[in-house]
Amino acid sequence: MHDGATHRLGTALALVLALAAGGAHAAAPSTDAQIAALTSEVDALESARAVKNLQRAYGFYIDRALWDEAADLFADDATIELGADGVYVGKARILDYLKRLGGGRIGIAYGELREHIQLQPVVHVAADGLSAKARWRDLAMIGDFGKRAEWGDGIYENTYVRENGVWKIKSLHLYVNFVAPYEGGWARLKPATGDLRSDAAKAFPADRPSSEAYKRFPEVQVPPFHYPNPATAKPAKARVQPADPALAPYRARVERLKDKDDIENLQAAYGYYFDKSMWGEVAALFAKEGAFEYGQRGVYVGAARIRQGLKLIAAEGPEVGKLNNHYQLQPVIHVAPDGRTAKARWRGMLQLSRQNASGAWGDAVYENAYVKEDGVWKIAKLHAYITGVMDYDLGWPKSGYPMEGPSAVLPPDKPPTEVYRAFPGVYVPPFHYLHPVTGRPVNSDQPVDPILGRGVK
Amino acid sequence: MLKASLLAVALAAGPAAAADAGKLADLDQRITRLEDANAIEIVQRSYGYFVDKGLWTDVTDLFSDDAHLEIGGRGVQIGKRHILDYMRGAFNHDGIAEGQLINHTQYQPIVHVAPDGKTARLRSRAFVMSTGGWGLPIYENQYVKENGVWKISVLHAPFTMYTNWTGWAKNATPNTRPDSFGAPPDLPPTVVYLTYPSPYTVPFHYPNPVTGKTWAERRP
């Protein structure tokens, strides 16, 4: 994994010598245009990263109630809408509102926990590079030591603007799904009634009313998506084609960076559809003959079979009291040098519940494959290795649901690729990639499993 | 070095070529910085995946030879040998056993690569889901590029909050438990602080992304 500096020096020198030899008139304008086109694509990649940094910085500031730092991330005419509190307009009002939410001071007080983890971005930067939109999820851990502990779940649909080269938040819009007490969790929530505004919003009302009528879990709420299903995206317009072969390595590097970002968006989008059991949208993300394998259920191949297989996991569509959160996080994405295929490892935390049943936390590790079909990335293989699912009340030390095996009523197209047990069993999902530093295979020796008889002498 | 060599040849070739060579060198640097940030995220996310399954040798191999590791309030371990001993001390074998869960999920990275492309800093967090309870460390790490390969040079993970299964309203674990880890540190903790329920803000390596004011400037 060397940086190829010597190679790039040679390539760039070759370009320059070609220009010198060929004369400036014919080659230089089109080379200029090619470099300008590449530069604008690099600018878009940098912007996507800047938007992610901005939102993550917002999270780290509000965690510690640094409302002044957080408010400074907003444009002067920005808006904020958190849950049912209504819309606050303008940076000054946003600062005042946030401070009131925080108890009227800047900084966390003794005993407070106000963590809002910023996760799972789907980011789109506009073609003119001056605005962007992103969907995120907010995992909240709220507490007052000695008094309360709560989990929170929400979805952001935010917009961003670039002013004088600096990216800022233009609108922050958090759809609160639930705030649930630690004891009992989300499965015991009753439908929310009455004025759901915070005390701060009641005392210091918003500038505009809520932009929508909100529901809270256990009722159904699907925050609208700022983007269409990624599988329906049109491939990017033909750019200025690189006539100059010396620019080809730069173009390849830029395309690989874009491929990685597109795959990150694709898998995050999969997660948001999966959360709401939108099986048609999920199935559409798969390539022709795409494969879906979840736990020990076996492999379903092709969109139609995948959609049927998904119905075995949960009924299609969101329902009252049904929580089916499957986070898509921690991506390690490798795109093949020819840009046609890719592999990625992901982690998925699970938050589950069904009506009149207890809730569950879970974890999964994915090893997926992707393919570019007609210029658009699709999932070629989705393989969710379930680490474990535990009963919410009993916790990990005292529970661990075994995985379901292949269905008898809708058998899979292929049996499970590997046989392993979920927690309390331990399995190391094999890594698609070599160790990032040593370049050697990662240790995937499987631990002893006394029930399967693996490694038992 | 790349830019200087290009410009030297280009100036000999003519002004238009020199301008293009300059633009290409700038583009190359910007592309490389993006690749660097992606590579660093892969290293840090791999740290998490390796810790989850107790792959301590693979974890240690992510570090530079003279790296520093400081987790919670347990002081600083210097060098790969001591880092491996520390990891093995906490969990005294490679791999995790039946009934054990020690997920250190890696989230919310903000990476800044130095202009010379040789070092970088990251702020990120872990969300710990384990058979022992829940945990929230923050990372303020440093990375170094050696022979084209990014490695962790400083892993500094102060704890925000750790708790057991009764939850953070009822239980808060302190960040210093020297009895639980066998390997003594090489240096004392770089900073002494109390975890939840006490408030502590881990200083930010980056200025406010909009105002440009550093942590020290804002809060002297």
Side-chain angles (χ1 to χ4, degrees):
Chain A
M1 285 177 52
H2 302 292
D3 63 7
T6 308
H7 170 74
R8 287 205 294 283
L9 172 60
T11 307
L13 277 173
L15 164 67
V16 166
L17 291 168
L19 288 169
H25 315 288
S30 95
T31 301
D32 257 0
Q34 290 169 48
I35 294 178
L38 272 177
T39 303
S40 133
E41 287 174 61
V42 170
D43 182 80
L45 290 164
E46 289 168 344
S47 291
R49 187 166 269 285
V51 164
K52 290 176 190 173
N53 282 356
L54 184 67
Q55 188 66 33
R56 290 167 177 159
Y58 169 82
F60 287 128
Y61 289 143
I62 63 170
D63 288 348
R64 300 285 93 185
L66 302 173
W67 309 122
D68 49 352
E69 302 273 11
D72 276 341
L73 301 179
F74 288 77
D76 286 344
D77 59 349
T79 59
I80 191 169
E81 184 173 4
L82 303 179
D85 277 5
V87 185
Y88 292 83
V89 181
K91 199 160 95 164
R93 292 278 288 167
I94 291 170
L95 172 58
D96 207 3
Y97 164 63
L98 287 174
K99 209 165 145 183
R100 285 168 190 268
L101 273 180
R105 82 191 102 72
I106 287 180
I108 285 283
Y110 181 86
E112 285 184 340
L113 193 72
R114 299 282 186 272
E115 301 288 303
H116 288 268
I117 308 178
Q118 309 286 303
L119 299 168
Q120 198 172 330
V122 178
V123 179
H124 293 100
V125 178
D128 67 4
L130 295 176
S131 68
K133 298 185 182 188
R135 188 180 190 90
W136 295 82
R137 81 180 322 133
D138 183 301
L139 168 61
M141 300 169 81
I142 312 289
D144 291 300
F145 189 63
K147 296 187 201 134
R148 69 174 171 138
E150 292 166 332
W151 291 110
D153 176 53
I155 297 289
Y156 293 99
E157 272 287 350
N158 298 343
T159 67
Y160 307 84
V161 65
R162 177 147 73 167
E163 295 176 348
N164 300 319
V166 177
W167 282 98
K168 302 174 187 176
I169 302 172
K170 177 77 172 187
S171 64
L172 190 114
H173 188 174
L174 177 65
Y175 295 76
V176 174
N177 194 29
F178 64 76
V179 179
Y182 183 86
E183 298 204 4
W186 46 81
R188 307 258 157 54
L189 286 172
K190 299 275 179 275
T193 54
D195 186 348
L196 293 183
R197 289 180 300 163
S198 64
D199 290 341
K202 288 175 189 169
F204 183 64
D207 298 305
R208 302 204 291 249
S210 289
S211 52
E212 299 174 38
Y214 297 108
K215 303 274 192 192
R216 295 262 178 115
F217 183 83
E219 294 180 272
V220 171
Q221 173 179 257
V222 182
F225 298 85
H226 75 260
Y227 50 89
N229 188 304
T232 64
K234 304 278 174 288
K237 300 202 289 284
R239 292 171 282 261
V240 175
Q241 287 308 318
D244 196 321
L247 281 177
Y250 296 87
R251 162 147 303 286
R253 289 166 69 198
V254 169
E255 298 229 357
R256 296 301 80 77
L257 288 168
K258 188 166 190 319
D259 289 333
K260 178 250 174 205
D261 278 6
D262 286 348
I263 290 166
E264 200 175 316
N265 273 358
L266 171 67
Q267 191 64 35
Y270 165 96
Y272 289 126
Y273 294 140
F274 206 101
D275 292 348
K276 304 299 181 186
S277 308
M278 294 165 67
W279 299 143
E281 306 282 5
V282 171
L285 298 175
F286 284 78
K288 298 184 195 52
E289 304 307 300
F292 173 83
E293 182 172 7
Y294 185 98
Q296 289 288 290
R297 294 165 177 268
V299 187
Y300 291 85
V301 180
R305 291 280 294 162
I306 289 172
R307 192 166 181 174
Q308 290 303 107
L310 287 164
K311 291 179 192 175
L312 292 171
I313 295 175
E316 179 149 4
E319 296 171 357
V320 171
K322 179 168 90 175
L323 191 71
N324 197 36
N325 281 355
H326 282 66
Y327 293 34
Q328 306 290 314
L329 309 172
Q330 199 175 335
V332 174
I333 300 169
H334 291 95
V335 183
D338 68 3
R340 293 193 188 153
T341 61
K343 295 189 179 185
R345 189 178 191 89
W346 294 80
R347 128 152 297 112
M349 301 203 298
L350 281 60
Q351 291 170 316
L352 308 174
S353 77
R354 299 289 181 269
Q355 202 163 26
N356 303 319
S358 63
W361 268 106
D363 183 73
V365 172
Y366 296 77
E367 273 288 347
N368 297 345
Y370 305 84
V371 66
K372 207 180 220 168
E373 274 183 354
D374 304 319
V376 176
W377 284 102
K378 305 267 177 70
I379 302 173
K381 177 189 80 165
L382 184 298
H383 190 166
Y385 294 85
I386 302 295
T387 310
V389 177
M390 58 102 159
D391 178 271
Y392 184 99
D393 298 325
L394 296 175
W396 288 113
K398 296 179 186 162
S399 69
Y401 294 117
M403 286 179 283
E404 295 197 21
S407 166
V409 299
L410 189 76
D413 298 300
K414 295 187 240 186
T417 314
E418 301 115 307
V419 173
Y420 61 96
R421 289 166 52 232
F423 180 89
V426 175
Y427 186 71
V428 183
F431 290 77
H432 73 265
Y433 60 103
L434 299 172
H435 192 284
V437 173
T438 67
R440 293 194 293 267
V442 177
N443 179 6
S444 291
D445 289 345
Q446 300 299 342
V448 168
D449 187 314
I451 292 179
L452 294 181
R454 187 179 64 214
V456 173
K457 309 234 182 313
Chain B
M1 188 206 85
L2 172 65
K3 190 163 180 172
S5 310
L6 277 176
L7 285 174
V9 175
L11 284 167
D20 278 346
K23 283 186 210 164
L24 214 54
D26 285 342
L27 191 64
D28 177 83
Q29 206 200 38
R30 289 169 70 178
I31 295 171
T32 306
R33 290 297 85 77
L34 288 167
E35 290 167 341
D36 288 335
N38 284 347
I40 288 160
E41 285 172 356
I42 286 180
V43 168
Q44 189 60 30
R45 289 167 178 163
S46 299
Y47 171 86
Y49 285 126
F50 298 161
V51 168
D52 292 349
K53 303 297 179 185
L55 308 178
W56 306 125
T57 306
D58 287 306
V59 169
T60 304
D61 281 340
L62 293 170
F63 289 78
S64 58
D65 287 342
D66 54 354
H68 286 212
L69 176 112
E70 182 176 6
I71 293 181
R74 302 193 182 108
V76 184
Q77 302 288 341
I78 301 179
K80 281 172 70 171
R81 182 73 242 174
H82 287 183
I83 289 171
L84 182 60
D85 287 344
Y86 170 90
M87 294 291 181
R88 287 235 181 91
F91 308 92
N92 56 11
H93 49 78
D94 273 25
I96 56 172
E98 176 96 358
Q100 224 181 345
L101 184 76
I102 51 166
N103 275 4
H104 284 62
T105 60
Q106 301 291 311
Y107 300 150
Q108 205 168 334
I110 298 180
V111 179
H112 292 99
V113 182
D116 68 2
K118 293 181 186 171
T119 60
R121 287 178 184 258
L122 161 136
R123 187 183 188 90
S124 69
R125 70 191 315 153
F127 174 84
V128 178
M129 181 197 278
S130 79
T131 34
W134 307 99
L136 287 176
I138 290 274
Y139 296 96
E140 269 288 348
N141 292 351
Q142 297 174 41
Y143 303 79
V144 64
K145 197 174 191 178
E146 294 177 351
N147 298 319
V149 176
W150 284 101
K151 302 174 187 177
I152 307 172
S153 56
V154 175
L155 187 135
H156 187 188
F159 296 166
T160 299
M161 182 278 288
Y162 265 75
T163 185
N164 64 21
W165 281 95
T166 61
W168 50 90
K170 296 182 176 172
N171 172 266
T173 310
N175 70 338
T176 311
R177 293 175 43 229
D179 54 304
S180 69
F181 281 66
D186 294 298
L187 292 173
T190 56
V191 57
V192 176
Y193 63 98
L194 292 173
T195 47
Y196 172 87
S198 287
Y200 171 65
T201 299
V202 178
F204 296 78
H205 75 259
Y206 52 87
N208 184 295
V210 171
T211 68
K213 288 209 171 65
T214 65
W215 179 241
E217 282 172 332
R218 199 62 183 264
R219 295 184 151 72

